[in-house]
């Protein structure tokens, strides 16, 4: 059994009433690895409640089944800056084999520049490895968002950070604790795949999950290709499950 931990910001924790890309990814892993082949771990289980501004909701979309493991390490308004001090404790409490990480937008938008954010990426990786020397990590660059369309300096920092992230992954990758850089979904469109220019809607959730699924499948032979999306933004049933 492989134990996965989702690490991210508001796009990963999700809001009350949503499915989240975590759920879409769990569906994919369960279908490709088998129900007994995957576990989801993490110290948090809630969604962001927009009414209170706090992570207090347990109300996922009505059709999310009760057996979906809601565990994660994600938070609204949190980035590499916030997660680096917490990852060691999270892994000590909930040991994981693979981290699926989507962070950076919050850092660059409010707290740190590209170079400073990269320093926090390195601190995060160091802390995770101190707890589990064999931890594997898949890191997603900052994906398109609405602020980058109107704030040129911010867009420049995002591009610079993504370049630095790729170099960091290459520099810190080791046989014992391998790192993968996921590719942003090539068809991701903030006007189609988000509900506000940043946070994913149904099609966006599937595309974020597909980015991690593709990295795992192509990089480490884990799982398989993500199911092709249909016209309504949902994937058809997987006909054949593939195992690593």
């Amino acid at each position: 059994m492989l134990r996965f931990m989702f690490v991210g910001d508001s796009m990963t924790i999700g809001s009350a009433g949503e499915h989240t890309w975590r759920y879409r990814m769990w569906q994919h892993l369960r279908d490709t690895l088998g129900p007994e082949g995957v576990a989801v771990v993490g110290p948090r289980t809630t969604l962001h409640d927009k009414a209170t501004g706090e992570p207090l909701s347990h109300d996922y979309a009505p059709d999310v089944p009760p057996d979906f493991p809601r565990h994660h390490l994600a938070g609204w308004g949190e980035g590499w800056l916030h997660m680096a001090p917490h990852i060691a404790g999270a892994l000590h409490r909930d040991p994981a084999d693979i981290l699926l990480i989507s962070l950076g937008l919050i850092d660059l938008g409010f707290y740190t520049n590209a170079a400073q954010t990269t320093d926090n990426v390195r601190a995060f990786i160091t802390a995770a490895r101190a707890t589990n020397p064999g931890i594997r990590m898949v890191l997603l660059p900052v994906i398109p968002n609405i602020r980058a369309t109107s704030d040129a300096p911010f867009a420049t920092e995002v591009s610079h950070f993504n370049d630095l992230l790729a170099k960091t992954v290459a520099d810190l990758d080791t046989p014992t604790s391998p790192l993968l850089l996921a590719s942003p979904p090539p068809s991701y469109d903030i006007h189609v795949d988000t509900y506000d220019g940043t946070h994913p809607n149904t099609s966006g959730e599937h595309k974020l999950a597909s980015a991690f699924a593709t990295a795992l499948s192509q990089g480490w032979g884990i799982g398989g290709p993500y199911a092709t999306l249909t016209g309504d933004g949902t994937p058809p049933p997987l006909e054949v499950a593939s195992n690593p």
Side-chain angles (χ1 to χ4, degrees):
M1 176 179 286
L2 289 173
R3 297 163 298 180
F4 293 84
M5 183 183 294
F6 300 104
V7 183
D9 52 29
S10 55
M11 290 181 285
T12 299
I13 185 174
S15 297
E18 297 176 3
H19 291 84
T20 75
W21 73 263
R22 296 181 284 110
Y23 170 66
R24 311 298 186 183
M25 188 63 184
W26 171 73
Q27 287 184 306
H28 167 77
L29 293 170
R30 179 198 58 190
D31 290 344
T32 55
L33 300 178
E36 304 303 320
V38 57
V40 175
V41 301
R44 306 175 184 177
T45 59
T46 57
L47 295 157
H48 180 73
D49 187 334
K50 291 182 179 179
T52 64
E54 300 292 338
L56 299 175
S57 177
H58 293 87
D59 296 328
Y60 285 75
D63 59 334
V64 172
D67 63 337
F68 166 51
R70 289 151 167 77
H71 306 287
H72 61 79
L73 179 61
W76 200 276
E78 297 187 57
W80 289 106
L81 172 68
H82 307 86
M83 294 305 183
H86 291 303
I87 187 58
L91 286 172
H92 180 76
R93 177 188 182 277
D94 298 293
D97 302 301
I98 299 175
L99 304 180
L100 304 180
I101 310 166
S102 174
L103 290 168
L105 178 63
I106 295 299
D107 303 87
L108 299 169
F110 299 98
Y111 300 107
T112 52
N113 61 27
Q116 293 166 333
T117 304
T118 304
D119 287 341
N120 288 325
V121 174
R122 288 177 173 269
F124 178 100
I125 293 171
T126 298
R129 285 173 167 171
T131 305
N132 178 359
I135 193 77
R136 289 188 274 181
M137 305 178 221
V138 184
L139 300 86
L140 182 70
V142 176
I143 62 173
N145 64 87
I146 194 167
R147 179 172 172 178
T149 65
S150 60
D151 186 337
F154 174 71
T156 298
E157 284 299 302
V158 169
S159 178
H160 185 34
F161 170 72
N162 283 345
D163 288 342
L164 292 176
L165 182 66
K167 293 176 182 177
T168 298
V169 168
D171 288 345
L172 299 185
D173 180 41
T174 69
T176 302
S177 176
L179 307 177
L180 278 179
L181 184 70
S183 297
S187 64
Y188 200 85
D189 184 337
I190 63 171
H191 304 292
V192 175
D193 299 314
T194 76
Y195 61 80
D196 61 358
T198 298
H199 299 96
N201 57 21
T202 296
S203 63
E205 290 172 355
H206 283 296
K207 289 182 180 181
L208 289 178
S210 73
F212 285 99
T214 299
L216 287 170
S217 176
Q218 294 182 353
W220 294 331
I222 294 175
Y226 196 81
T228 303
L229 297 181
T230 62
D232 64 358
T234 61
L238 287 173
E239 296 181 358
V240 179
S242 59
N243 293 304

